[in-house]
Amino acid sequence: MSSNAVLREAILNAGMTPAMLAERVEVDAKTVERWVCQGRRPHPITRHRVACAVGRPMAELWPLPASVPEVAPVVEGGMSLALVLDRLSSVAAVLDRLTDRLENLEKATGSMGATA
């Protein structure tokens, strides 16, 4: 199998190491190394968690092989299940970032209140 350079880049751009990502998505660090170095595909739920953690769409990190047919539309507008999951992944990543910012803000204002 080939390596996953897109995943490697996404991990670095998110300011993480493979070990940090492993801890965040609750898998072994060697598992993340297999995803990156051997191009392995994690379970769909884990792919979603990884995409949220690095702030990139699942379909970008693990594109479907050309031999896999597109998922049948799930809504009248023609959105596929893969597209719905990809959009949900993007929303979850934004929510994660907002949660982190809110926690940082709470810490900052909490420490300011303690010094006043």
Side-chain angles (χ1 to χ4, degrees):
M1 290 193 150
S2 62
S3 66
N4 188 334
V6 175
L7 178 59
R8 180 187 323 264
E9 177 188 336
I11 293 168
L12 294 174
N13 287 341
M16 289 191 262
T17 65
M20 291 165 70
L21 176 63
E23 185 176 326
R24 181 137 182 211
V25 299
E26 300 175 350
V27 298
D28 190 88
K30 288 188 181 228
T31 300
V32 175
E33 289 294 336
R34 287 185 197 104
W35 300 338
V36 172
C37 297
Q38 298 174 10
R40 298 234 180 131
R41 292 175 67 90
H43 187 275
I45 291 171
T46 306
R47 286 197 304 264
H48 172 74
R49 293 171 75 190
V50 170
C52 290
V54 300
R56 300 278 280 275
M58 286 190 307
E60 185 178 312
L61 299 172
W62 292 282
L64 289 175
S67 61
V68 176
E70 179 63 28
V71 177
V74 294
V75 294
E76 198 171 303
M79 288 179 67
S80 70
L81 180 58
L83 181 58
V84 170
L85 289 174
D86 188 48
R87 288 189 178 173
L88 286 173
S89 174
S90 297
V91 169
V94 169
L95 288 174
D96 282 346
R97 288 193 298 272
L98 288 173
T99 301
D100 289 344
R101 287 181 183 170
L102 182 58
E103 288 172 356
N104 290 337
L105 182 61
E106 288 174 346
K107 288 177 187 174
T109 57
S111 64
M112 287 173 49
T115 59

